[in-house]
Amino acid sequence: MKIANLEQLKEIKARGLRLTYPDKIKIMVGMATCGISAGADKVYAALSQRIAELGLDVVLTKTGCIGFCQREPLVDVIYPKQVRLTYQAMTSESATALVDALKEGRIYESQTLCRIDQEDFLVEGVVRPYANPHPPELPPEFPRYEDLPFFSKQVKISLRNCGFINPESIEEYIARGGYQALCKAVAEMTPEAVIAEVKASGLRGRGGAGFPTGLKWEFCRNAPGELKYVICNADEGDPGAFMDRGILEGDPHAVVEGMAIGAYAMGAREGYVYCRAEYPLAIDHLKTAISQAEGLGLLGEKIFGSDFSFTLKIREGAGAFVCGEETALIASIEGRVGEPRPRPPFPAQSGLWGKPTTINNVKTWSHIAPIVARGADWYASFGSGNSKGTTVFSLVGKVNNSGLVEVPLGITLREMIYDLGGGIIGDRAIKAVQTGGPSGGCIPEEFLDTPVDYDSLAALGSIMGSGGMIVMDEKDCMVDIAKYFLDFTRDESCGKCTPCREGTLRLMEMLEAITEGRGQEGDIDKLIKMSGLIKKTSLCGLGATAPNPVLTTIKYFRDEYEAHIRDHKCPAKVCKPLITFRVLEDKCNGCQLCRLRCPVEAVLGTKKEPHQIIQEKCIKCGACYDGCKFDAVVVD
Amino acid sequence: MPEEAARARTTYAEVTDEDAVAGIIATYRDEPGNLLPVMLDINRHFNWLPRPALEHISDELKVPLTEILRVASFYNAFSLTPRGKNIINVCLGTGCFVKGSPRLLERLERKLGIRHGETTEDMAFTLEVVRCIGCCALAPAIRVGEATYGRVNPDQVSKIIDSYIETASL
Ligand SMILES: Cc1cc2nc3c(=O)[nH]c(=O)nc-3n(C[C@H](O)[C@H](O)[C@H](O)COP(=O)(O)O)c2cc1C
Ligand code: SF4
Ligand code: SF4
Ligand code: SF4
Ligand code: FES
Ligand code: FES
């Protein structure tokens, strides 16, 4: 069937609601990439097997990332008319126990992460309670979803459906208000009115540069030409970030709908999603979503019975970071080597195959439907100053709760790390938080009260970037981190312009020398000078921002550089040429563990006697240090 | 390019290879900008890009071989040398890097007796590094073929690899 109007959409919605909230118990397993790598597929298999064995009449389905990846595998059970409970760290055994409890008519009470009493249908602005009439009596120690610090400060707009629907079901997407915004735009709004709404919302691009989205759309709309394109940038090149993956895997229709609305507004008939090949599951879910939308007439000819037609295709990236840059991305879709070209002309004037083109990030697209449905004022009520709305971060590194979080802009770094993130692993001291990936910088502890918005992070020499947030502690060496990023940018530089190609190599070599104890007085100044040159003269953003990790680490952690250069010491004890492992005789009880673990037979010793490390043989792998249960191995 | 026209096509190792490549090219024949999708699928099919396939693409899509080779060496996904049956990707993205993935790489290099970018002599494993597979919250992560492993510690690496060796010899 092809949906031609709102009534027909509502029919599908009614069907979707029955699927999403069946009359019987529903078990949902978080099966995004993180979940699967933590063993969710085994949990799913165990659930399925036990359900079959007991002949239990329940619904078992898959869902996307609810964000709390740290606690994976996650399983949710909706007890009809009562409550929804989220279970953490599930195993095959606990999955079986869970089904057994359900068979006995009990609520399974182990491993509860939280209880969810109601769901927000964000697009429609309504709340759907589970309990009817009252939630069941549950032990008081079951926290409510909204009371968990990890969730309480989040506002989920991009992630509105992730972890709540089966991403492979368009009906479930429609159940929670999906495609109503597209219907509204096409049936009730002029393209200009859609653009005006997006402009008024204050939405800025979430792919890195933060350009106002409505303005970009207006340029493209006003550009002469019959044929125009919209592109979704799902290259997600920032190493250490997975926001776009989370959205595409968990709610692909959010992107499809956003792009269709954008295409209507800009007068485009065709679109592409450029997704990195490293995300097979995201590509798979996106493919399903596109064919389902085509099946219901939400993509294709005469959408919602109008004159508007739009088709969407997927293109896979082939593993080149620079292809995230918009002109390189276009070259790549055209089947060429992904080298950036100078702008102007901007893609809005001359983009894909020379036609006016708008490129937005996955997150940017996923904000569009809610903005159109709820209005610009609603959206702009989140966020602060020049940074309106919410954005998704992947909070990883040395925090207790790593995962995917969506927060209103303006929240402080400290809130992100200590409230959402639950502080640093092992209560160690935080050293820095890295935002913006290879284009960003390391922000030290003293600036943790800085609000997370475009301007404040830029003022510190970093950038908002696309949402990678990596927390580092006292065991991370900042010179090593700078070297790490330069190694990355040097590797990924397309080589078209000399300052970027040669400059990143020079920076990398100098950093390498410093971490190997070959640094010299004056190196820091040389690094700064070279960085300035690269920034000024590079053609594209890769080169122009590549020195940021070096500059920010020098600015905030100069003493670490000096320790490497002057004292040939690595204060964080990371840089191998500058450290030695040795055994403390008085602490070693001769358990022999280190001797057995050492890969190169560098440890000597007999049982119950203090052991000894032969420095000439030691390759500094750290296995002895990690393994010793008596803190007898030290690094200095 | 005159030498292009004169070039005779290298023969495929297996007769079926030619059909496979022809099938892939046919899928994308009418797509604008089809070079990359074709090369990606061929790269997936063979685990690398054999010379006859490149020449085949060049003839069919009318793209000079030099351009195809340039594309093949520009993008990290492509390999111009044969790769092993199991491709091991160690994530060196920032999330995994700060959680100790370089150590996993060292372990693997020692265990397999190769450096990253290389293939074991028996063609069982190719060891590669990747910059993020989107599993950062469960860092450090490695991927073997299609399977992703999260929260891997250096001691588990051996076991994971052994499980592939056993299946390989069955
Ligand atoms: C080297 C480089 C890599 C980039 N990588 C990405 C990326 O992976 N994803 C992305 O959305 N934008 C990336 N960008 C930014 C894009 O060029 C572009 O600004 C963005 O996709 C526009 O979308 P937005 O306005 O929604 O942010 C990159 C830019 C540069 C210079
Ligand atoms: S700045 Fe670097 S990545 Fe960008 S075009 Fe120049 S060489 Fe290529
Ligand atoms: S593991 Fe520790 S206690 Fe045991 S022999 Fe080694 S140094 Fe001594
Ligand atoms: S650091 Fe590694 S190589 Fe050196 S002694 Fe310890 S286990 Fe052996
Ligand atoms: S992938 Fe499952 S919660 Fe993030
Ligand atoms: S950094 Fe390793 S999976 Fe992202």
Side-chain angles (χ1 to χ4, degrees):
Chain A
M1 126 177 210
K2 306 269 183 208
I3 299 175
N5 52 43
L6 190 60
E7 281 65 52
Q8 290 174 351
L9 184 66
K10 292 210 162 137
E11 281 169 33
I12 307 275
K13 178 179 158 82
R15 201 159 83 206
L17 281 171
R18 287 194 297 275
L19 273 175
T20 318
Y21 310 104
D23 292 334
K24 42 189 143 180
I25 289 174
K26 178 172 162 186
I27 308 176
M28 302 154 79
V29 185
M31 295 278 271
T33 298
C34 283
I36 295 175
S37 66
D41 45 354
K42 294 192 189 79
V43 171
Y44 188 92
L47 287 167
S48 167
Q49 190 191 342
R50 193 66 181 158
I51 289 168
E53 279 168 9
L54 301 181
L56 207 59
D57 186 22
V58 299
V59 177
L60 174 64
T61 122
K62 300 174 183 179
T63 188
C65 175
I66 200 166
F68 218 152
C69 312
Q70 182 80 37
R71 307 291 176 86
E72 291 273 20
L74 294 169
V75 172
D76 278 82
V77 177
I78 301 181
Y79 297 87
K81 302 203 165 48
Q82 298 190 62
V83 71
R84 162 174 166 162
L85 292 180
T86 304
Y87 301 102
Q88 57 184 327
M90 292 293 284
T91 58
S92 308
E93 292 76 45
S94 55
T96 308
L98 166 72
V99 179
D100 289 347
L102 299 180
K103 173 77 179 174
E104 290 162 22
R106 285 191 287 120
I107 282 182
Y108 183 66
E109 291 187 0
S110 311
Q111 291 168 289
T112 329
L113 172 68
C114 63
R115 60 184 286 173
I116 304 181
D117 290 347
Q118 59 185 44
E119 278 184 25
D120 277 330
F121 279 21
L122 181 101
V123 177
E124 294 166 296
V126 298
V127 164
R128 186 187 181 284
Y130 281 110
N132 178 20
H134 300 294
E137 287 292 324
L138 282 171
E141 66 270 18
F142 284 13
R144 271 169 228 279
Y145 173 87
E146 55 274 15
D147 293 340
L148 280 188
F150 182 78
F151 291 117
S152 63
K153 292 199 171 171
Q154 293 197 49
V155 177
K156 295 193 175 194
I157 299 179
S158 271
L159 300 176
R160 57 193 177 273
N161 293 320
C162 287
F164 289 92
I165 63 169
N166 174 358
E168 294 179 276
S169 163
I170 191 170
E171 284 94 352
E172 294 197 15
Y173 177 72
I174 292 174
R176 298 178 113 243
Y179 289 105
Q180 287 181 20
L182 177 62
C183 181
K184 177 178 174 185
V186 172
E188 297 170 25
M189 295 169 82
T190 61
E192 288 77 11
V194 175
I195 292 180
E197 202 70 40
V198 174
K199 262 175 115 173
S201 75
L203 176 65
R204 293 169 68 176
R206 300 289 191 244
F211 193 83
T213 305
L215 201 58
K216 197 182 213 173
W217 289 19
E218 194 170 66
F219 290 148
C220 187
R221 163 118 207 127
N222 293 339
E226 274 299 292
L227 205 56
K228 290 175 187 174
Y229 293 99
V230 290
I231 295 176
C232 172
N233 190 341
D235 199 41
E236 193 147 74
D238 177 355
F242 60 104
M243 304 73 56
D244 299 354
R245 164 182 83 65
I247 295 168
L248 289 173
E249 285 180 357
D251 194 18
H253 286 287
V255 176
V256 174
E257 185 181 1
M259 291 184 76
I261 294 172
Y264 171 75
M266 284 173 268
R269 290 179 49 94
E270 284 181 40
Y272 284 92
V273 179
Y274 186 89
C275 185
R276 66 202 306 247
E278 289 89 338
Y279 289 172
L281 194 64
I283 292 171
D284 197 46
H285 284 186
L286 195 58
K287 275 189 188 148
T288 308
I290 290 174
S291 74
Q292 288 172 339
E294 284 168 352
L296 290 181
L298 300 167
L299 287 175
E301 299 293 316
K302 303 203 178 306
I303 294 168
F304 283 112
S306 72
D307 288 336
F308 168 59
S309 304
F310 179 58
T311 54
L312 191 54
K313 290 182 186 154
I314 303 173
R315 272 306 168 81
E316 278 180 57
F321 173 64
V322 74
C323 285
E325 195 279 339
E326 52 189 20
T327 61
L329 187 153
I330 287 171
S332 182
I333 295 185
E334 290 174 354
R336 294 183 286 119
V337 161
E339 277 175 359
R341 60 156 177 81
R343 299 172 301 179
F346 288 93
Q349 306 153 310
S350 172
L352 189 60
W353 289 299
K355 309 289 182 228
T357 301
T358 288
I359 301 184
N360 279 125
N361 171 263
V362 171
K363 289 166 288 285
T364 315
W365 288 119
S366 67
H367 283 281
I368 299 300
I371 289 174
V372 168
R374 303 283 300 269
D377 291 343
W378 166 80
Y379 187 79
S381 70
F382 303 104
S384 66
N386 277 330
S387 304
K388 295 296 187 210
T390 59
T391 195
V392 186
F393 281 100
S394 81
L395 184 60
V396 300
K398 307 290 175 64
V399 279
N400 280 315
N401 303 331
S402 30
L404 214 53
V405 297
E406 182 169 1
V407 288
L409 291 168
I411 189 173
T412 65
L413 288 166
R414 191 181 300 282
E415 287 173 283
M416 297 262 326
I417 295 163
Y418 286 91
D419 296 343
L420 282 79
I424 311 300
I425 296 174
D427 274 331
R428 286 200 291 265
I430 183 173
K431 186 182 272 181
V433 49
Q434 210 278 342
T435 65
S439 304
C442 294
I443 301 166
E445 201 209 342
E446 67 228 63
F447 293 110
L448 285 189
D449 291 312
T450 308
V452 176
D453 62 50
Y454 293 94
D455 305 331
S456 308
L457 294 186
L460 294 180
S462 186
I463 58 166
M464 245 264 298
S466 65
M469 186 171 277
I470 292 141
V471 179
M472 298 174 187
D473 67 7
E474 58 204 9
K475 290 190 168 182
D476 293 303
C477 166
M478 289 297 120
V479 188
D480 186 51
I481 293 290
K483 183 179 87 175
Y484 165 81
F485 279 115
L486 261 296
D487 182 37
F488 178 83
T489 37
R490 175 198 55 79
D491 208 28
E492 296 292 343
S493 161
C494 80
K496 187 170 176 171
C497 40
T498 320
C500 168
R501 186 184 63 236
E502 300 297 324
T504 52
L505 178 65
R506 279 295 296 135
L507 286 181
M508 164 70 192
E509 285 170 353
M510 282 163 76
L511 291 167
E512 211 162 52
I514 295 174
T515 56
E516 287 171 5
R518 297 182 282 113
Q520 291 177 358
E521 287 297 326
D523 272 1
I524 297 181
D525 292 332
K526 278 194 206 150
L527 284 169
I528 294 174
K529 228 171 121 190
M530 174 78 67
S531 294
L533 187 77
I534 300 173
K535 277 178 87 110
K536 261 201 241 90
T537 49
S538 290
L539 170 63
C540 87
L542 191 152
T545 58
N548 288 350
V550 182
L551 291 173
T552 52
T553 47
I554 292 179
K555 183 167 167 194
Y556 300 120
F557 302 97
R558 199 182 177 107
D559 53 333
E560 284 195 38
Y561 278 82
E562 283 166 352
H564 284 75
I565 296 170
R566 280 186 204 146
D567 313 329
H568 303 287
K569 285 260 180 293
C570 173
K573 298 181 177 154
V574 170
C575 298
K576 282 186 183 176
L578 306 183
I579 56 173
T580 45
F581 289 85
R582 75 194 156 83
V583 177
L584 295 176
E585 263 186 44
D586 49 333
K587 281 203 170 175
C588 173
N589 67 9
C591 77
Q592 294 211 301
L593 190 67
C594 57
R595 193 170 70 80
L596 297 173
R597 284 175 61 120
C598 177
V600 291
E601 295 176 4
V603 188
L604 292 185
T606 43
K607 215 168 174 180
K608 298 199 175 139
E609 296 292 327
H611 283 44
Q612 201 189 358
I613 293 172
I614 313 296
Q615 295 302 334
E616 293 70 36
K617 278 194 171 179
C618 172
I619 55 166
K620 296 169 189 174
C621 72
C624 54
Y625 177 82
D626 293 342
C628 180
K629 294 187 177 68
F630 307 94
D631 294 329
V633 182
V634 290
V635 210
D636 36 29
Chain B
M1 244 177 263
E3 74 272 14
E4 282 284 329
R7 166 177 57 72
R9 265 234 309 267
T10 325
T11 40
Y12 280 102
E14 307 276 340
V15 214
T16 48
D17 291 350
E18 177 150 13
D19 293 342
V21 172
I24 291 169
I25 294 174
T27 318
Y28 299 101
R29 165 113 25 219
D30 301 323
E31 279 271 316
N34 49 9
L35 182 61
L36 253 79
V38 166
M39 289 175 67
L40 274 168
D41 275 7
I42 292 175
N43 193 65
R44 257 191 285 259
H45 179 82
F46 293 102
N47 250 346
W48 67 296
L49 295 170
R51 180 78 181 194
L54 298 180
E55 295 175 0
H56 195 159
I57 306 174
S58 169
D59 293 346
E60 291 287 327
L61 299 184
K62 310 270 177 281
V63 183
L65 192 60
T66 45
E67 172 66 13
I68 295 181
L69 288 171
R70 214 165 86 82
V71 169
S73 45
F74 181 83
Y75 293 100
N76 297 327
F78 299 126
S79 174
L80 288 167
T81 47
R83 294 191 293 176
K85 182 160 171 268
N86 299 290
I87 297 176
I88 307 169
N89 274 302
V90 180
C91 179
L92 285 190
T94 324
C96 290
F97 182 82
V98 302
K99 289 275 189 84
S101 67
R103 287 221 205 148
L104 301 183
L105 182 63
E106 278 172 24
R107 273 291 176 101
L108 280 162
E109 291 186 332
R110 257 202 320 275
K111 162 122 189 138
L112 298 169
I114 52 175
R115 310 256 314 145
H116 64 269
E118 296 175 353
T119 300
T120 53
E121 231 162 75
D122 61 358
M123 296 303 284
F125 296 100
T126 296
L127 184 59
E128 296 185 343
V129 302
V130 60
R131 308 280 190 167
C132 195
I133 46 181
C135 195
C136 334
L138 296 180
I142 68 172
R143 188 175 270 178
V144 185
E146 309 255 287
T148 306
Y149 300 85
R151 293 192 192 118
V152 183
N153 72 44
D155 293 336
Q156 286 169 329
V157 162
S158 259
K159 266 199 221 129
I160 294 175
I161 298 309
D162 287 344
S163 74
Y164 287 83
I165 293 174
E166 277 154 32
T167 26
S169 64
L170 280 180

